[in-house]
Amino acid sequence: MSNGHAWVLGATGQIGRAAVRALAADGWEVTAASRGGGRDETWDAGVRAVALDRDEEGALEKALGDGCDVLVDMVAFDGTHARQLTGLAGRIGSAVVISSGAVYEDERGRSFDTQAEPDGFPRYPVPLPESQATVAPGDATYGTRKVLLERELLAAGEALPVTLLRAGAVHGPYCRTPRELYVVKRLLDGRRRRVLAYGGESRFHPVHVSNAAELIRLAAGKPGSRVLNAADPEAPTVAEIASAIDAVLGRETETVLIDGPAPEGQVGETPWSGAHPVVYDMTAAGEQLGYRPVTGYVESLPETVEWLAGELSGRDWREAFPKMLKNYGEGLFDYAAEDAWLAAYDRSRR
């Protein structure tokens, strides 16, 4: 017996693929919508794939037809998208929308938006609950746009029950900005030493796509207006992540630890690096949805590493992951700068 009809926007993205799979396995009739209209080979044959650009005027309204029981939105980013969904309230039973941990600010007003400023990295409580203050809504940054999205959707109230999932550092296959690339590429390139800032102790709470999909599945079955964190059961340090990837690839690496931030350029700075830990509280998800994670970070790594190695095979990393290049720049793999710093470091120890 079907649980009803679920629409998934952004179905061929990283979380979308896993969400479609989880919903179909749970008995939902699933329509998987994406710009290209593609399919994942692991989806059930009953999943209907459609091509849809949600930003095209009237396209979503037309495609929805008589509507759906739940709409899952991976690609909602601002107030315009919020108003698009609330305008369909009479045709959507409920919604589950991916937000971001980037919405939070600390007691001094620091957030991910201020991390590049002197002493600008936020110092959040550990763990960080959903009740923590957020940045002001607006159109200036990714975080402010997500807050605007959240507030406009929650304002719909009973007219459109919405679960907003504030995702941590998403990981798993099909990621456009895979943080694990930082470690995997170095190992594949034969690097035997790595440098880690902040003593390798930085923690940026990850969430595997299958855990995000489980939260989506549970929220789809329990409609309500709520905001919940989305994260794995553990938040490993950068040093622990690097060591775990070493183990997957059967390599040994000497790690050189730096006290504090990168000494120059991006040497020692990783995609997880930060002056203070970012660890999300998952208590509310357990209490409100009965959420239990389906995997842990270390358990999920082999599949991620295999996918990354395949994507890099015979390709320049900049071609394979252009968004990673855009977000982090060429310095992500500046081996010359690393080697120069390591040479100076070795001389200083003689």
Side-chain angles (χ1 to χ4, degrees):
M1 183 177 177
S2 172
N3 282 332
H5 188 186
W7 258 75
V8 179
L9 296 181
T12 56
Q14 185 184 15
I15 299 176
R17 292 170 186 262
V20 169
R21 193 162 51 244
L23 289 166
D26 198 35
W28 290 86
E29 176 190 349
V30 181
T31 296
S34 64
R35 287 191 175 186
R39 297 183 62 87
D40 187 286
E41 62 183 14
T42 65
W43 289 348
D44 182 90
V47 171
R48 182 172 72 101
V50 299
L52 173 68
D53 181 352
R54 64 99 47 83
D55 292 321
E56 180 183 331
E57 184 71 28
L60 178 57
E61 294 88 337
K62 181 179 179 181
L64 269 175
D66 293 334
C68 61
D69 297 290
V70 62
L71 186 143
V72 182
D73 198 341
M74 313 294 170
V75 287
F77 297 110
D78 53 28
T80 299
H81 291 153
R83 291 186 288 276
Q84 181 186 49
L85 296 183
T86 56
L88 295 168
R91 296 158 65 186
I92 300 171
S94 67
V96 183
V97 178
I98 298 298
S99 186
S100 169
V103 301
Y104 292 115
E105 70 174 12
D106 71 7
E107 60 182 12
R108 290 175 52 186
R110 296 174 298 188
S111 67
F112 288 172
D113 291 337
T114 64
Q115 60 185 311
E117 301 172 7
D119 192 29
F121 198 90
R123 188 188 288 271
Y124 297 128
V126 177
L128 173 57
E130 293 87 348
S131 57
Q132 179 71 20
T134 64
V135 297
D139 295 318
T141 68
Y142 175 78
T144 63
R145 288 191 293 272
K146 281 290 192 179
V147 173
L148 184 60
L149 169 80
E150 288 187 358
R151 293 194 181 180
E152 294 205 11
L153 287 174
L154 291 173
E158 294 183 0
L160 179 62
V162 179
T163 297
L164 289 146
L165 298 175
R166 292 174 174 169
V170 184
H171 65 105
Y174 301 103
C175 185
R176 296 170 65 197
T177 54
R179 292 170 175 82
E180 289 74 16
L181 179 69
Y182 181 88
V183 180
V184 172
K185 176 173 163 55
R186 281 172 165 75
L187 293 176
L188 296 179
D189 288 343
R191 306 285 290 180
R192 291 294 177 260
R193 303 178 82 188
R194 64 171 154 255
V195 185
L196 298 179
Y198 301 107
E201 292 299 308
S202 296
R203 300 167 74 197
F204 184 9
H205 208 156
V207 58
H208 189 262
V209 290
S210 62
N211 287 332
E214 175 66 359
L215 284 160
I216 290 167
R217 182 189 73 82
L218 291 168
K222 295 182 179 180
S225 293
R226 56 174 83 92
V227 176
L228 297 172
N229 288 331
D232 285 347
E234 65 281 311
T237 66
V238 174
E240 290 169 340
I241 288 172
S243 179
I245 295 175
D246 282 355
V248 172
L249 288 174
R251 309 291 176 88
E252 292 186 5
T253 306
E254 176 192 350
T255 300
V256 178
L257 301 177
I258 299 171
D259 291 330
E264 55 186 76
Q266 290 179 251
V267 174
E269 184 177 308
T270 78
W272 300 277
S273 294
H276 310 296
V278 180
V279 180
Y280 299 110
D281 190 340
M282 291 302 296
T283 303
E287 292 176 347
Q288 297 184 34
L289 297 181
Y291 169 69
R292 297 293 181 271
V294 299
T295 190
Y297 186 83
V298 173
E299 296 95 313
S300 71
L301 267 180
E303 181 187 26
T304 301
V305 171
E306 180 182 8
W307 176 77
L308 277 170
E311 292 296 299
L312 289 171
S313 181
R315 302 169 72 191
D316 185 280
W317 75 273
R318 289 160 289 203
E319 174 194 354
F321 299 103
K323 195 167 188 291
M324 195 76 173
L325 174 64
K326 179 181 179 181
N327 286 10
Y328 295 97
E330 296 275 358
L332 194 65
F333 298 108
D334 190 345
Y335 294 161
E338 285 180 15
D339 290 340
W341 186 88
L342 283 166
Y345 169 82
D346 291 339
R347 289 193 298 269
S348 70
R349 289 168 57 86
R350 291 173 186 162

